[in-house]
Amino acid sequence: MQKNLARILVIDDERTNINALGTILSPNYIVSVALSAQQAIKYLGSTSCLPDLILLDVVMPQVSGFDLCQQLKKDHRFQHIPIIFISAITDPMEKVKGLQAGAIDFICKPFNTFEVEARIETHLKITTKQQALEAHNQKLQAINSSLTLGPQSLIIDEHTLRIVYKKKSVELTKLEFKLFQLLYAQPERVYSRMQILDLAYPDLRDISDRSIDAHVKNIRKKIKTLGIEHAIIQSVYGAGYRYSSQKLT
């Protein structure tokens, strides 16, 4: 059970804060601590299990949280780890400075237990969805690289947001392309609308089920202009949508 828990690294020079955060987080996460930026760098460089998220104080001796955050974001080993500042600083411009340094959020001390838990859980979910989407994109790139660039090929180009077929092309909107890309990466797999929302649009809050249906309708219209008559994106009653792997002719 323990191995399935997310790992949190708390970096703060005040043991009172370390103890408080440890009490809050330890029931649901594997918590590691560092009392300075130097300790944090040493820990990150030596551990075989990097943290899934970092809680970072701002005002620390020698190296500030802002400087440490910038340092981590420049290092390819650690730049993927989401960082949340947790500080007594309340100046809005200082918060902006923290976000510009590479953090994803800023929690003010004294902190509320439920707020800390909620923000951590939310950002861990977003990170998981982003990783899933990146995995899909990598698989899609592998599929594209194996395609024969002949007149019968269907090619999707994420740089231009275009679908190419028989030397004809059609351009999708960015949101349409993300949806098509997700389905295309796994032919015949059925995705529910909720799965599409989570995997194709993990960072967007204003996308709804109706938006998904509208995007699918628009994609179908555009693909039809390429001369493809059968439904590439098929509706599965009561389940969602899938990309049909039916051979193109």
Side-chain angles (χ1 to χ4, degrees), residues 23-239:
T23 300
I24 294 171
L25 301 176
S26 57
N28 299 310
Y29 303 102
I30 300 173
V31 181
S32 301
V33 301
L35 293 171
S36 67
Q38 294 86 343
Q39 281 189 17
I41 291 295
K42 184 177 181 180
Y43 169 77
L44 290 170
S46 61
T47 183
S48 58
C49 298
L50 290 175
D52 298 293
L53 185 142
I54 293 174
L55 287 179
L56 177 58
D57 188 23
V58 174
V59 181
M60 297 188 296
Q62 298 184 357
V63 180
S64 73
F66 289 155
D67 291 337
L68 176 60
C69 183
Q70 289 179 323
Q71 185 176 343
L72 295 178
K73 290 306 175 180
K74 291 178 181 178
D75 193 318
H76 68 90
R77 297 173 298 171
F78 315 129
Q79 60 189 194
H80 67 283
I81 305 173
I83 297 175
I84 299 177
F85 279 116
I86 184 161
S87 172
I89 292 176
T90 58
D91 183 348
M93 293 310 299
E94 289 296 296
K95 293 182 181 180
V96 170
K97 183 178 178 181
L99 297 176
Q100 290 175 338
I104 57 173
D105 207 344
F106 202 112
I107 300 174
C108 291
K109 299 176 183 177
F111 47 78
N112 178 276
T113 298
F114 299 108
E115 180 185 9
V116 172
E117 292 176 328
R119 288 179 185 255
I120 289 176
E121 183 179 358
T122 296
H123 288 299
L124 286 175
K125 285 181 178 178
I126 290 174
T127 300
T128 298
K129 292 172 184 177
Q130 289 174 334
Q131 291 172 345
L133 182 57
E134 288 174 3
H136 278 293
N137 288 342
Q138 290 175 358
K139 184 170 183 178
L140 180 59
Q141 290 174 357
I143 292 172
N144 278 340
S145 64
S146 66
L147 288 174
T148 301
L149 300 180
Q152 304 300 321
S153 301
L154 178 67
I155 302 170
I156 70 169
D157 187 340
E158 62 181 329
H159 301 294
T160 63
L161 305 182
R162 288 181 176 274
I163 299 175
V164 182
Y165 177 68
K166 288 186 178 181
K167 298 183 179 180
K168 295 182 179 180
S169 68
V170 64
E171 184 175 328
L172 306 183
T173 67
K174 186 175 182 179
L175 295 183
E176 291 168 356
F177 191 87
K178 282 180 176 289
L179 191 159
F180 185 83
Q181 188 178 43
L182 173 69
L183 301 181
Y184 180 76
Q186 298 232 357
E188 303 302 336
R189 174 176 170 176
V190 178
Y191 288 88
S192 69
R193 290 172 176 81
M194 185 59 66
Q195 287 174 321
I196 292 173
L197 289 172
D198 287 343
L199 294 174
Y201 312 116
D203 298 325
L204 300 180
R205 306 295 183 184
D206 57 347
I207 301 294
S208 65
D209 289 1
R210 291 185 179 273
S211 297
I212 297 297
D213 295 339
H215 290 328
V216 169
K217 184 178 180 180
N218 291 336
I219 293 170
R220 285 172 172 166
K221 286 182 179 179
K222 292 179 179 181
I223 288 178
K224 196 168 183 179
T225 65
L226 297 176
I228 302 173
E229 294 299 328
H230 76 274
I232 285 184
I233 298 183
Q234 298 178 342
S235 302
V236 181
Y237 183 76

Side-chain angles (χ1 to χ4, degrees), residues 10-30:
V10 181
I11 308 172
D12 196 313
D13 63 320
E14 294 288 340
R15 290 191 177 275
T16 301
N17 296 328
I18 291 283
N19 293 337
L21 289 169
T23 300
I24 294 171
L25 301 176
S26 57
N28 299 310
Y29 303 102
I30 300 173

